[in-house]
Amino acid sequence: MIDIHCHILPDLDDGPSNMEKAVDMALLAVRSGTTQIIATPHFKNGVFEVSSEMVIDSVKMFTRVLEEKKISLKVLPGAEIRISPDSCLLLDQGELLPLGCSRYYLFELPDIFIKEGIITLLRQLRQREVIPVIAHPERNRTIQRHLEMIPEFIFENALFQITGKSITGENGKRSFKIAWNMVKEGQVHFVASDGHSIRHRPPCLDDAVKAVKKAGGKKAVRTIFEENPAKILAGSVMSGVRGKRVI
Ligand SMILES: [Fe+2]
């Protein structure tokens, strides 16, 4: 399995505070069936000052440690980019880091936002052939009140990533309900752990896989957990990016 959203790099954001804890997360991820992780530290969220160079250097260092310890987990660079009025400018200046060196970027919506502002950004991204993946919409306060925005954003080329713990109900009833509604409507393109530590939001997807398998069968699991993430890493464009269901 490929986990496209995980805060696993040591001492960069609110993920593991040191290498030992990062290695513990890697061991747990491998035990739960994950083979590749895109490391996505918080980026431009006003709290953590992380640059693309810092992420790339950290991935190199972490990879060396994993190899030394014979832990078979591939870690790729990425970022969880908080959407702001200057997101497009930062992209044009080359300051934003894509997911695994692809044309896909992981964006986090602000808690409160104006729909038209996001649609304008999505159109600007499309002009630049950037494919936005929106992180955990089921946990966003504005989306929770305006579910009608989900298909509108998909129509504007956005893909959606749900958190594994929302699928299993561990993020509360509201996120659980929205996540499953999105699965049933074919609006979930990825499920990722958004892991932060071995205890709080661990980097594991196995429980979410079991739940999706029970509800939607092996095909749904293959699409959401394997094929779609693999398309990011292969640099290919997913089908269904114009609002067509992918499952
Ligand atoms: Fe995150």
Side-chain angles (χ1 to χ4, degrees):
M1 269 184 302
I2 302 165
D3 189 353
I4 68 158
H5 179 174
C6 187
H7 303 256
I8 195 168
L9 296 176
D11 197 25
L12 280 187
D13 62 354
D14 54 352
S17 56
N18 57 45
M19 184 59 83
E20 199 184 333
K21 289 178 183 173
V23 169
D24 287 344
M25 283 179 72
L27 285 168
L28 192 56
V30 170
R31 274 204 294 273
S32 74
T34 298
T35 53
Q36 299 187 67
I37 282 182
I38 305 182
T40 51
H42 291 290
F43 210 78
K44 304 291 176 193
N45 74 344
V47 180
F48 303 102
E49 285 302 321
V50 178
S51 68
S52 301
E53 292 74 23
M54 287 163 74
V55 176
I56 289 164
D57 288 348
S58 181
V59 167
K60 282 181 190 162
M61 196 196 306
F62 191 37
T63 298
R64 273 201 299 274
V65 171
L66 293 177
E67 282 170 0
E68 276 165 23
K69 294 183 179 292
K70 302 202 181 333
I71 299 170
S72 53
L73 179 72
K74 187 172 181 185
V75 179
L76 296 146
E80 180 178 15
I81 305 153
R82 173 69 63 95
I83 290 176
S84 68
D86 57 358
S87 288
C88 219
L89 178 68
L90 292 167
L91 177 76
D92 290 343
Q93 291 171 341
E95 287 198 40
L96 303 185
L97 204 55
L99 291 172
C101 309
S102 70
R103 69 175 86 176
Y104 294 80
Y105 288 70
L106 183 68
F107 287 101
E108 182 185 35
L109 291 163
D111 253 353
I112 308 292
F113 64 84
I114 308 284
K115 182 182 81 175
E116 287 70 23
I118 301 302
I119 286 183
T120 299
L121 173 66
L122 294 175
R123 288 178 181 170
Q124 289 169 334
L125 295 174
R126 186 150 190 256
Q127 283 167 0
R128 289 158 175 78
E129 298 189 349
V130 160
I131 303 174
V133 178
I134 297 182
H136 41 66
E138 81 285 2
R139 288 159 47 201
N140 179 273
R141 277 202 286 163
T142 303
I143 293 273
Q144 286 176 343
R145 292 193 195 105
H146 297 280
L147 297 177
E148 73 281 0
M149 289 182 187
I150 294 170
E152 289 183 60
F153 290 172
I154 291 176
F155 184 75
E156 297 296 342
N157 222 33
L159 301 175
F160 283 108
Q161 171 259 305
I162 299 293
T163 307
K165 275 186 175 287
S166 300
I167 291 284
T168 57
E170 293 161 273
N171 278 337
K173 279 185 191 167
R174 202 171 198 182
S175 300
F176 178 74
K177 202 174 159 197
I178 295 170
W180 278 104
N181 190 50
M182 288 181 69
V183 171
K184 284 170 192 150
E185 291 294 323
Q187 296 167 334
V188 175
H189 305 93
F190 310 96
V191 174
S193 72
D194 195 5
H196 279 70
S197 72
I198 56 168
R199 283 189 188 82
H200 306 290
R201 264 187 274 161
C204 305
L205 290 170
D206 46 349
D207 288 343
V209 166
K210 278 182 211 155
V212 171
K213 194 172 179 180
K214 202 173 162 190
K218 283 182 189 169
K219 166 91 176 77
V221 169
R222 231 184 4 255
T223 304
I224 294 173
F225 293 88
E226 295 167 21
E227 291 173 356
N228 288 348
K231 282 175 186 163
I232 291 182
L233 299 185
S236 55
V237 176
M238 284 177 46
S239 61
V241 294
R242 289 290 298 162
K244 190 177 150 227
R245 292 180 179 195
V246 292
I247 58 165

